[in-house]
Amino acid sequence: MPGTHSTDTPGALTPDDIDDLARRAQDGDRDALEDLLAAVRPRALNVCRGVLPYSSDAEDACQEALINIAAKIGSWGGRGRFTTWMHVVAVNSARSTYRRMKNQAVAADPQAGGPLADRPDPRTTSVIAGTRLDLLEAMETLEREHPQYVEPLLLRDVYGLPYDEIARLLSLPLGTVKAQIHHGRKLARPMLSGEA
């Protein structure tokens, strides 16, 4: 029920409170779903900002993430924290927004020149990697060739989730998760340093 928590501000909800809201939302409680979306929105927005440098793009991705969270809440298995599951949904929404923007930019005018052509485009420059070869481009390549490494790698190296939480979220043994992250790093490193 709304207002039964120790405080009515969404940011003050504990992880247990959020998990409880998610369970109630899964059971069809519309008020719980609204409270849940309000509680996780700042976290989802931060995830999207980690991928998309422009605020308006991150806002679009966050909105898509919240829609996906509401639509797919039944797929949260309850094994790990709801917020961990939400991270994956938000990452996928941000990546989807990035791909859509990239396709629109290429379709608009791929040969456009002019004074801005020599400057690095923030949409294709990775803030994390600090190179012209974008992290998302590396993840797209890795996903085509070795899809099993992408999600664990993003969850660990971009969003900083602990190994054991990733293992629970992905329903994999801890050793497998660590191995996938290690191999994913080895494959992604040359792409991020411009050697690929």
Side-chain angles (χ1 to χ4, degrees), residues 15-16 18-20 22-23 26 36 43 73 75-88 161-172:
D16 287 338
I18 291 173
D19 289 353
D20 180 57
R23 284 186 200 93
Q26 283 181 318
L36 176 68
R43 188 181 297 235
I73 194 158
S75 67
W76 173 56
R79 289 182 305 274
R81 288 286 183 196
F82 178 81
T83 51
T84 303
W85 177 84
M86 183 240 35
H87 263 82
V88 174
L161 295 181
Y163 291 106
D164 60 337
E165 198 168 340
I166 296 168
R168 275 193 310 275
L169 178 68
L170 300 179
S171 300
L172 294 171

Side-chain angles (χ1 to χ4, degrees), residues 49-160:
R49 283 182 178 146
V51 175
L52 301 163
Y54 289 115
S55 210
S56 61
D57 298 336
E59 288 281 345
D60 288 347
C62 179
Q63 187 62 33
E64 181 181 323
L66 294 175
I67 290 168
N68 288 334
I69 288 167
K72 299 176 182 180
I73 194 158
S75 67
W76 173 56
R79 289 182 305 274
R81 288 286 183 196
F82 178 81
T83 51
T84 303
W85 177 84
M86 183 240 35
H87 263 82
V88 174
V89 175
V91 166
N92 289 337
S93 296
R95 291 177 67 206
S96 171
T97 299
Y98 170 80
R99 282 191 289 269
R100 189 171 45 255
M101 288 175 4
K102 179 181 165 193
N103 290 340
Q104 288 171 349
V106 168
D109 188 1
Q111 301 300 321
L116 296 178
D118 294 334
R119 285 207 254 153
D121 181 351
R123 294 173 195 254
T124 59
T125 303
S126 171
V127 175
I128 298 162
T131 66
R132 288 287 317 253
L133 189 56
D134 190 278
L135 175 66
L136 288 177
E137 286 296 318
M139 292 302 104
E140 292 290 317
T141 300
L142 195 59
E143 188 168 45
R144 280 191 303 273
E145 297 170 9
H146 305 283
Q148 71 274 24
Y149 301 138
V150 175
E151 200 167 35
L153 187 60
L154 283 173
L155 291 172
R156 177 67 187 150
D157 288 356
V158 176
Y159 298 102

